[in-house]
Amino acid sequence: MQYNFPCNIVPDTTEGGWGYLVSFSDIPFAHTGGKTFKESIILAEDCLVVALSCYVDLGKELPTPSSFQDGQELLTVQPVIAAQLDLYTAMREQKVTQADLAQRLAISEKDVSGLLSLDYCTPIGQVAEALRAVGCDLSTAGAAA
């Protein structure tokens, strides 16, 4: 799956408005903002990862990005995070538990939890190995997810 999410960045026009407001139409609870447009983009990228992490932590299906519209900014998650999200999706679709994956990889469930944690700097090689354990690989994970 491609993790390209459009977001809206608009000037804060409320009384005392101080910068820009960011929202994601595909993720209703994801909001942030910054003093400058550039700062808002940077914070929006972090906000997107945190929001997607909430879906993973709650065991929920990931939102499908909507089509990009004029006036929006398109944000894409980093490749290792996309691979982690593909792993999470493949596990959900195949009903592979963290315990199942731990057994397949001969690692602890805590280590599997780390593989799925978007706030942990997981080496891409470890995610690739986990993807192979669920029948995917980095080049086809998006197609299988």
Side-chain angles (χ1 to χ4, degrees):
M1 176 178 190
Q2 293 290 339
Y3 302 99
N4 304 316
F5 284 88
C7 69
N8 300 301
I9 302 178
V10 297
D12 181 358
T13 58
T14 61
E15 186 175 331
W18 57 273
Y20 293 85
L21 303 173
V22 180
S23 63
F24 294 84
S25 55
D26 304 313
I27 309 171
F29 61 86
H31 300 277
T32 190
K35 284 188 174 188
T36 65
F37 190 85
K38 183 177 180 177
E39 180 184 48
S40 297
I41 291 281
I42 293 166
L43 293 172
E45 291 169 341
D46 288 341
C47 180
L48 175 59
V49 172
V50 170
L52 293 172
S53 182
C54 289
Y55 285 94
V56 172
D57 292 346
L58 294 171
K60 302 289 185 184
E61 184 176 348
L62 297 173
T64 301
S66 58
S67 299
F68 176 76
Q69 304 293 319
D70 284 341
Q72 293 182 316
E73 296 295 321
L74 192 61
L75 302 182
T76 303
V77 300
Q78 296 295 321
V80 70
I81 291 174
Q84 288 173 289
L85 293 171
D86 283 341
L87 174 61
Y88 170 75
T89 300
M91 289 174 66
R92 276 183 50 86
E93 288 176 352
Q94 297 176 32
K95 298 183 181 3
V96 174
T97 67
Q98 288 191 23
D100 295 335
L101 186 58
Q103 186 175 19
R104 292 179 190 186
L105 295 171
I107 62 176
S108 71
E109 284 186 55
K110 181 180 177 187
D111 290 337
V112 170
S113 183
L115 285 171
L116 296 170
S117 176
L118 304 186
D119 59 350
Y120 175 71
C121 189
T122 305
I124 191 71
Q126 290 178 4
V127 181
E129 182 179 355
L131 280 164
R132 284 190 297 276
V134 295
C136 301
D137 63 44
L138 284 176
S139 63
T140 61

